[in-house]
Amino acid sequence: GMFSSLVGQKVVGADDLEPVLEQLRLHLISKNVASDVATQLSESVKTKVEGKVLGTLDSVKKTVWRALEEACLQMLSPQRRVDILRDAVDAQTNGRPYVIVFCGVNGVGKSTNLAKIAF
């Protein structure tokens, strides 16, 4: 599979990772992840995995999966404290609209949560 070239008791180098990360990037894009985001995630995985010694295929998959999880969390974590009420009042004070976007697949509760907030 995708990770078989990384198996063995050797230090994983950039040359070893490039084809694997390209496959990962293309897989993410095929799952509707934006191209630039897929590239950022692949680069983050590269940073976290490059230079490590990976033994079994199982440890390679776990290491790459963990690195991908960490990269997603880092990317999705806000860079500043989020205070919606303060931001909304600030926008109103400055005569600007405050917009909240609800997005998600069907059945996840967008309308329900919007109704709760509007009430």
Side-chain angles (χ1 to χ4, degrees):
M2 190 185 317
F3 304 118
S4 58
S5 64
L6 300 178
V7 176
Q9 294 294 329
K10 65 176 186 172
V11 175
V12 177
D15 292 340
D16 301 316
L17 282 172
E18 285 307 320
V20 174
L21 293 175
E22 182 60 17
Q23 283 183 312
L24 175 63
R25 191 180 76 76
L26 292 174
H27 179 72
L28 290 170
I29 291 170
S30 76
K31 298 298 181 185
N32 293 325
V33 174
S35 179
D36 56 335
V37 173
T39 300
Q40 278 184 297
L41 289 171
S42 297
E43 287 300 315
S44 184
V45 169
K46 177 181 178 181
T47 302
K48 291 175 182 4
V49 175
E50 191 173 15
K52 289 192 174 191
V53 177
L54 304 174
T56 66
L57 183 58
D58 196 43
S59 71
V60 171
K61 286 181 181 177
K62 284 181 184 173
T63 302
V64 171
W65 184 254
R66 212 173 302 119
L68 185 58
E69 273 185 329
E70 289 173 15
C72 287
L73 281 172
Q74 186 176 6
M75 188 177 283
L76 295 172
S77 296
Q79 300 300 312
R80 64 176 182 87
R81 187 168 169 255
V82 178
D83 186 341
I84 293 173
L85 292 176
R86 182 197 61 203
D87 292 346
V89 169
D90 183 48
Q92 185 178 28
T93 302
N94 292 314
R96 293 180 288 119
Y98 188 77
V99 179
I100 300 174
V101 177
F102 287 78
C103 58
V105 297
N106 292 341
V108 296
K110 297 178 297 293
S111 298
T112 302
N113 283 301
L114 181 59
K116 289 177 183 178
I117 289 175
F119 181 72

